[in-house]
Amino acid sequence: MKKPKPDEMEYYQQEDLLKLDWGPRKTSWMDTAVDFRPGTYIYPGKAKNLRVLDLPNPRDWAVTDDDWQLPEGWKQIVLEGMAERLSKYRSFKVFMDICVRCGACADKCHFFIGSGDPKNMPVLRAELLRSIYRKDFTALGKVFGKLAGGRELTPDVIKEWFYYFFQCTECRRCSVFCPYGIDTAEITMMGRELLGLLGLYVNWVIEPVANCYRFGNHLGIQPHGLKDTLEFMAEDIEEATGIQIDIPINKKGAEILFFTPSGDFVAAPGIYTCMAYMLLFHELGIDYTWSTYASDGGNFGLFTSHEALKRLNSKIYAEAKRLGVKWILGGECGHMWRVINQYMDTVSGPADFLEVPRSPLTGTVFEHARSTKVVHIMEFLADAIRHGKLNLDPSRNDHIRVTFHDSCNTARGMGILEEPRYVIRNACNHFYEMPENTIREQTFCCGGGAGLGTDENMEMRLRGGLPRGSAVRHVQEHHGVNQLAAMCAIDRATLVTVCDYWAPGVQVTGISELVANAMIFKGEKRRTHDLRLEPIPGMTEVGEESETVEVAANE
Amino acid sequence: MHWSMLIILLRHLRLFTNPVPFFVTALERADGFMEVGLPVVFITTVVFVVALAYLLYRRLAIGQVRYISLVGDYFPLFLLLGIGISGFWLRHLAKTDIASVKEMVLGLARFAPVVPETISPLFYGHLFLVCVLLAYLPFSKLTHMAGVFLSPTRNMANNNRTVRHVNPWDYPVKVHTYEEYEDELREKMKSAGIPVERQ
Ligand code: HEM
Ligand code: SF4
Ligand code: SF4
């Protein structure tokens, strides 16, 4: 058998990963250098991608290089960048000042739980930056230096930032437990922006940003390719249900612009969720359109800088305006919704050319989206179910015992907790919650968000996925759970690995997929296969029996 | 810990005011309800010192917390402990002459210092530590109380979808417009039958 590599799950033995030491290290954290071991860091951004975006210092380099080819005057650049951000962001300034190092956040981070590395305690992650802040921006730090917790900014500090700010999924779990609500995610964001000023990006983030900038989606799918992709899905839909759907693309004058993360165009299980959207819209007679120019709701700009976020996000309103839609509907995604919920209106608004969203099915006006004009698919479906507009037969999902993973961004980043549960309960008869301290506001991250979900980072993903994986394992053992529902495209990509590793046998699914599988469509054929084209237990008996008979007769 | 701090501060008012405000006396009575020995042992003092000792113990004994601690985390603890213990000493063991303390303090307040003989050196120790504390306070983590009110994750509503928030330092960024996009991909779009703006 081929020997597995560090970017493959099989490379890691569970016993090894579970040999965890959460205790303090022998050397003080300020004197402990980073150990760049394969599997725990992400490859740097390629020069060509930086050039697409006109970002500083494009060059090809490796994380293991001694010299990272920092630009001339890099120290000045960082300090000035810090000064600028301290004056712009009250959050940054306050979070730099008020931490009392009480340690309440320390053991709340999935990366600390799964790795034991002290610098993965949120408080120390923040101290990496705070120590520089103290040295250069506070009176005590200027006078007392190290005694006041300050330290000199050196290339090693920059390397440390790069390592640990890309070992934070910006999930905000720590902030829930901090008495001051210090959000280490915001500190990580600032750290990443400062690194960006020196041309230090990870390729897993910056390539999607470059793609999205030029082609409208992270994967760089061109318009004709997108059309092909959606048409393939339509064929599978017809095979599963016997229903022919049409695919509106760049259709002017449609009522609704629909967008979703592009991850759901290409990889299972995300594609089944994408198929479900099209099927549901067809059945419900919704006048919507896809856009090729704004073909990604996801926004890896969020993991880069506020500026990159704005450059990508601006396309959505621009496209809504060009197509003349009334309002916007967004699919199942995590960070896309963090952007919509927290930033979109401010960075790209006002969307005063759109109408306050109103469901064509029920007449419900979504007042809470009065300013952004963007509605979440779960809000839309929950409202439709509430008004009895979906013809659901949850017993079609009786072979599924499902649990629900709150994505960090939708739970803590926007606070949508009940709608997904309501929809799942209506689509499935067997729903089980994971333990309380691992769901809702306290949910554990998948370990691969914020641009960390790449295979070269496999060790950290598995470690960061340990708490979530253990919670899944718990419901698997106690309730026989066999599917994990998540309304986030990154989750649907990364949790597959986490489940295969920590809770093998549990599949990952989107919520809309569950709905489409439970739904009785007008003119559907006898449903023997689900959207994955897998036989539905209990529905195939007749067919299967006759097949077995035939096979037996032939033998 | 924090409650006892507040109550002690209030109780100290009797050193500055004349007559002693009623609520200070009421507090003293309530606080001293466990009459252990004479003069009354104020519960808050005990709670204060014990709480500080616990905080110190926690910082030293829990490895992770020790690892993240800076000098700036120990210093205020020792400082407060010093104040607390010397204060306790002053009241219960050294039997300070409150009348003369008051004389001095009020003298200070009127810029007419009087130095009564009957005050023990320990009082000056206590006073010195308190002065250090007051000097250090604005720079230190002890201002953490303000943080609770300043923290944006605490005092801002998460309502951006409903209400428009304007960024005061907003500036235009370079974007890739639809026209640029179509110019690059027009032929491909046309042959795939996707509508375009210009032929
Ligand atoms: C934040 C500031 C201060 C703290 C935390 C503090 C703490 C304490 C504590 C814990 C005690 C023992 C409590 C008792 O049994 O009464 C005490 C007593 C005392 N403190 Fe302070 N103190 C502070 C400020 C001051 C100031 C500004 C003065 C004088 C100008 C002062 C003078 C005294 C005296 C004279 C006593 C003995 C009182 C008695 O016998 O009733 N303290 N202090
Ligand atoms: S919980 Fe908050 S105050 Fe306490 S150490 Fe963590 S960040 Fe600092
Ligand atoms: S935001 Fe999440 S990943 Fe980052 S430090 Fe906090 S808990 Fe850890």
Side-chain angles (χ1 to χ4, degrees):
Chain A
M1 215 179 78
K2 213 169 95 262
K3 228 176 133 238
K5 297 206 196 58
D7 61 357
E8 291 167 324
M9 190 175 95
E10 295 73 22
Y11 181 84
Y12 304 95
Q13 301 299 316
Q14 288 200 2
E15 309 90 84
D16 294 339
L17 291 193
L18 290 175
K19 265 186 222 130
L20 285 165
D21 170 15
W22 292 292
R25 299 297 182 254
K26 284 191 197 69
T27 48
S28 140
W29 65 265
M30 285 198 194
D31 308 321
T32 313
V34 181
D35 166 27
F36 286 107
R37 105 182 148 270
T40 66
Y41 63 85
I42 307 174
Y43 302 148
K46 295 200 179 101
K48 64 168 186 171
N49 295 321
L50 271 62
R51 288 205 184 90
V52 170
L53 298 159
D54 305 308
L55 295 174
N57 201 16
R59 72 214 180 281
D60 285 314
W61 58 289
V63 169
T64 44
D65 289 347
D66 265 344
D67 177 12
W68 281 15
Q69 306 168 49
L70 302 181
E72 199 73 29
W74 62 270
K75 213 167 152 171
Q76 200 56 29
I77 299 177
V78 172
L79 294 180
E80 278 167 14
M82 242 171 124
E84 184 193 334
R85 282 160 185 78
L86 285 166
S87 69
K88 280 182 176 171
Y89 297 95
R90 180 159 59 99
S91 52
F92 186 34
K93 175 87 174 88
V94 170
F95 294 164
M96 284 293 105
D97 281 325
I98 59 174
C99 172
V100 291
R101 283 159 303 285
C102 68
C105 59
D107 55 352
K108 305 303 185 296
C109 175
H110 49 286
F111 283 119
F112 179 64
I113 297 174
S115 76
D117 184 343
K119 287 180 198 166
N120 272 327
M121 294 189 232
V123 46
L124 267 199
R125 197 188 307 289
E127 287 288 306
L128 301 178
L129 194 58
R130 204 176 273 129
S131 53
I132 305 301
Y133 166 76
R134 280 201 206 95
K135 174 85 182 54
D136 290 286
F137 294 91
T138 66
L140 275 186
K142 278 183 191 151
V143 179
F144 293 104
K146 205 159 175 171
L147 207 58
R151 64 172 175 167
E152 205 59 54
L153 180 59
T154 63
D156 281 336
V157 170
I158 297 290
K159 290 186 177 180
E160 201 178 41
W161 284 5
F162 185 86
Y163 191 67
Y164 289 104
F165 291 145
F166 287 98
Q167 271 185 20
C168 166
T169 44
E170 303 182 350
C171 76
R172 311 184 76 193
R173 187 168 197 268
C174 46
S175 78
V176 173
F177 298 88
C178 172
Y180 306 107
I182 293 181
D183 184 358
T184 306
E186 300 253 341
I187 296 171
T188 294
M189 287 177 187
M190 290 298 125
R192 289 188 184 188
E193 284 204 8
L194 295 174
L195 289 170
L197 298 177
L198 307 179
L200 301 169
Y201 298 95
V202 297
N203 207 51
W204 187 253
V205 170
I206 212 66
E207 184 150 317
V209 174
N211 281 338
C212 192
Y213 186 69
R214 193 162 157 215
F215 297 115
N217 58 72
H218 290 159
L219 300 164
I221 306 172
Q222 300 190 17
H224 54 295
L226 182 60
K227 190 172 179 208
D228 284 349
T229 307
L230 296 176
E231 276 168 359
F232 279 130
M233 290 187 197
E235 282 167 26
D236 280 359
I237 289 175
E238 187 171 355
E239 194 176 334
T241 63
I243 294 172
Q244 270 190 328
I245 61 160
D246 37 42
I247 306 162
I249 296 180
N250 294 3
K251 181 177 140 193
K252 284 200 173 179
E255 182 182 355
I256 298 169
L257 170 64
F258 179 71
F259 68 128
T260 200
S262 61
D264 288 349
F265 294 143
V266 291
I271 48 174
Y272 309 121
T273 298
C274 192
M275 286 158 67
Y277 299 141
M278 294 197 282
L279 195 50
L280 290 168
F281 296 157
H282 169 88
E283 171 75 9
L284 301 170
I286 291 177
D287 178 18
Y288 80 107
T289 181
W290 294 97
S291 157
T292 59
Y293 170 64
S295 43
D296 209 320
N299 188 330
F300 272 30
L302 174 67
F303 312 143
T304 307
S305 66
H306 74 276
E307 198 170 304
L309 178 153
K310 182 170 171 166
R311 289 171 79 181
L312 301 186
N313 183 259
S314 65
K315 288 184 178 187
I316 296 170
Y317 282 150
E319 186 68 341
K321 196 168 196 172
R322 184 182 76 86
L323 295 174
V325 300
K326 291 203 176 110
W327 57 277
I328 304 172
L329 183 61
E332 296 181 22
C333 185
H335 76 285
M336 156 178 148
W337 274 101
R338 173 114 145 238
V339 172
I340 297 170
N341 184 61
Q342 282 180 287
Y343 309 105
M344 184 165 180
D345 187 64
T346 302
V347 299
S348 309
D352 43 15
F353 52 91
L354 295 173
E355 292 173 13
V356 177
R358 181 178 166 281
S359 169
L361 300 174
T362 63
T364 302
V365 178
F366 297 99
E367 278 292 341
H368 66 287
R370 192 175 345 114
S371 193
T372 47
K373 321 283 202 291
V374 192
V375 173
H376 193 290
I377 185 79
M378 283 305 129
E379 295 165 345
F380 185 76
L381 290 180
D383 171 66
I385 292 173
R386 186 67 159 232
H387 288 84
K389 300 291 178 192
L390 303 192
N391 191 2
L392 295 174
D393 174 7
S395 72
R396 288 182 173 190
N397 281 329
D398 270 355
H399 56 292
I400 295 174
R401 302 171 81 81
V402 67
T403 187
F404 175 59
H405 163 78
D406 287 275
S407 308
C408 321
N409 284 308
T410 50
R412 285 187 288 267
M414 83 183 278
I416 171 167
L417 305 167
E418 298 308 331
E419 289 86 342
R421 290 180 163 79
Y422 178 75
V423 173
I424 293 174
R425 285 210 174 86
N426 278 281
C428 304
N429 286 324
H430 308 295
F431 172 55
Y432 304 92
E433 292 276 19
M434 284 182 277
E436 227 170 283
N437 58 347
T438 71
I439 55 168
R440 295 176 183 264
E441 286 92 348
Q442 299 190 27
T443 187
F444 270 114
C445 177
C446 62
L452 310 189
T454 167
D455 286 351
E456 74 245 26
N457 194 33
M458 187 55 81
E459 180 180 335
M460 284 324 288
R461 281 175 57 191
L462 295 177
R463 288 186 180 283
L466 169 67
R468 172 45 79 225
S470 310
V472 175
R473 179 70 162 267
H474 178 86
V475 281
Q476 184 185 27
E477 279 165 3
H478 287 80
H479 305 291
V481 161
N482 55 15
Q483 285 209 7
L484 172 68
M487 49 171 189
C488 165
I490 292 181
D491 282 334
R492 284 191 288 272
T494 59
L495 282 175
V496 173
T497 311
V498 168
C499 288
D500 284 350
Y501 195 81
W502 296 115
V506 177
Q507 286 189 320
V508 179
T509 178
I511 300 178
S512 301
E513 181 188 343
L514 296 172
V515 174
N517 279 330
M519 187 136 152
I520 302 166
F521 294 100
K522 296 186 275 290
E524 67 179 7
K525 67 170 195 189
R526 199 180 127 73
R527 297 272 288 276
T528 55
H529 289 72
D530 61 18
L531 287 181
R532 302 187 179 199
L533 297 179
E534 285 166 7
I536 304 171
M539 293 298 286
T540 39
E541 256 116 71
V542 187
E544 257 171 20
E545 260 166 31
S546 59
E547 257 173 47
T548 19
V549 174
E550 264 174 39
V551 174
N554 284 347
E555 275 173 5
Chain B
M1 157 79 199
H2 284 103
W3 285 116
S4 39
M5 187 95 153
L6 177 68
I7 297 175
I8 289 171
L9 265 179
L10 288 178
R11 265 199 291 110
H12 275 77
L13 281 178
R14 77 175 183 150
L15 296 174
F16 310 110
T17 47
N18 201 0
V20 180
F22 74 94
F23 69 93
V24 179
T25 348
L27 257 180
E28 266 177 29
R29 246 182 248 130
D31 201 1
F33 77 91
M34 278 175 21
E35 293 191 28
V36 192
L38 278 173
V40 185
V41 174
F42 286 124
I43 295 175
T44 39
T45 315
V46 177
V47 171
F48 183 72
V49 173
V50 169
L52 279 169
Y54 164 72
L55 287 175
L56 188 61
Y57 166 78
R58 189 187 75 103
R59 234 171 237 294
L60 291 170
I62 304 180
Q64 288 89 339
V65 183
R66 178 165 33 121
Y67 198 69
I68 61 176
S69 295
L70 303 167
V71 177
D73 299 322
Y74 293 115
F75 184 61
L77 282 182
F78 282 117
L79 193 62
L80 289 176
L81 261 181
I83 297 176
I85 291 171
S86 61
F88 182 79
W89 200 287
L90 279 173
R91 170 154 189 107
H92 300 295
L93 305 170
K95 293 272 153 71
T96 312
D97 177 357
I98 295 290
S100 40
V101 169
K102 200 158 197 164
E103 191 182 332
M104 184 203 112
V105 172
L106 289 176
L108 272 179
R110 291 193 206 99
F111 296 102
V114 215
V115 184
E117 302 287 299
T118 47
I119 302 176
S120 78
L122 198 64
F123 171 74
Y124 295 105
H126 186 76
L127 188 58
F128 170 71
L129 288 178
V130 169
C131 290
V132 172
L133 178 67
L134 287 181
Y136 176 64
L137 200 72
F139 300 100
S140 76
K141 58 183 270 190
L142 292 176
T143 44
H144 58 270
M145 192 179 84
V148 177
F149 306 104
L150 287 174
S151 183
T153 49
R154 284 295 162 81
N155 63 13
M156 288 171 82
N158 184 3
N159 61 356
N160 306 28
R161 284 170 80 196
T162 321
V163 182
R164 183 166 165 72
H165 296 258
V166 177
N167 176 0
W169 48 260
D170 192 30
Y171 56 92
V173 295
K174 195 171 163 222
V175 296
H176 192 63
T177 62
Y178 177 79
E179 288 68 36
E180 291 169 285
Y181 168 87
E182 192 183 294
D183 285 347
E184 183 179 353
L185 300 161
R186 183 170 296 111
E187 290 316 312
K188 290 173 175 166
M189 291 171 80
K190 273 158 67 178
S191 54
I194 298 171
V196 289
E197 290 282 332
R198 289 193 294 125
Q199 285 305 312

